[in-house]
Amino acid sequence: AEEAVRYHTIFWVAWEVAAQPADTPWKELLDSPEPAVRFWTVHAMAWQAVCDGPTKVPLVIAALETVLADNDPVVQIAAAWWLLKLGGGDAKPALDVLARDMKSSDPNVRQQALVAIDSVGEASRPLWRAAAAVEVGKAHKADEYSRRMIERIRARLESSPS
């Protein structure tokens, strides 16, 4: 029952954040005590920057760089993913977050980091070799998905020039 309430809350927050107007004061939402609010705010503000054009991208990059210091690793991973997808700025802090979290003892955090590394493509190339070497257990549902991400990264590594 607790997990069902958690997922209901996450989906509710996602819709609430997605429904925000373009001039939303994102800072207030990024300061929320709820990680789900901050997570979906990262995605909403970055997506709006993509949709609104290149003039907003530098402002969003600056905001996302501060989110890399969030106290929730999944929020940090979301910010790192968008920073690498949007480009511009220094990629090293975003890559550092993903490098750290792909080795997390929390299978959900590890899964999110590996998904980000896989889905961001070339921007995460500096991490491919380390990601391909990550070993995961079998005890958690997230481990199976992590293994699939690792296999995809290994295949990409093997098929691409060094």
Side-chain angles (χ1 to χ4, degrees):
E2 184 179 315
E3 184 130 335
V5 170
R6 180 173 165 255
Y7 282 107
H8 173 76
T9 302
I10 290 169
F11 288 122
W12 178 82
V13 166
W15 284 114
E16 285 296 306
V17 171
Q20 297 297 314
D23 61 348
T24 297
W26 295 117
K27 176 81 172 100
E28 291 175 28
L29 292 169
L30 288 173
D31 288 340
S32 169
E34 289 297 321
V37 171
R38 298 190 311 272
F39 173 85
W40 288 111
T41 299
V42 164
H43 287 291
M45 65 188 250
W47 183 248
Q48 270 193 353
V50 168
C51 293
D52 290 350
T55 58
K56 279 200 176 174
V57 171
L59 297 172
V60 169
I61 287 174
L64 291 174
E65 287 171 342
T66 66
V67 177
L68 290 175
D70 191 275
N71 64 6
D72 187 281
V74 176
V75 176
Q76 293 174 3
I77 292 167
W81 186 83
W82 274 109
L83 284 166
L84 294 171
K85 288 298 267 188
L86 293 171
D90 182 9
K92 186 177 179 339
L95 291 169
D96 288 347
V97 164
L98 298 179
R100 179 198 67 218
D101 290 339
M102 73 178 165
K103 299 173 193 165
S104 173
S105 61
D106 181 328
N108 291 309
V109 171
R110 183 173 53 242
Q111 174 196 358
Q112 290 296 311
L114 289 165
V115 167
I117 291 166
D118 177 57
S119 66
V120 84
E122 283 294 318
S124 65
R125 180 183 279 274
L127 301 179
W128 289 359
R129 193 162 309 283
V134 169
E135 293 187 25
V136 295
K138 297 180 181 177
H140 196 275
K141 190 166 69 172
D143 291 332
E144 181 180 333
Y145 197 69
S146 292
R147 274 193 296 285
R148 286 192 299 226
M149 292 301 98
I150 292 165
E151 287 304 316
R152 286 170 49 114
I153 293 165
R154 283 180 185 152
R156 186 179 296 133
L157 188 60
E158 291 169 3
S159 69
S160 69
S162 297

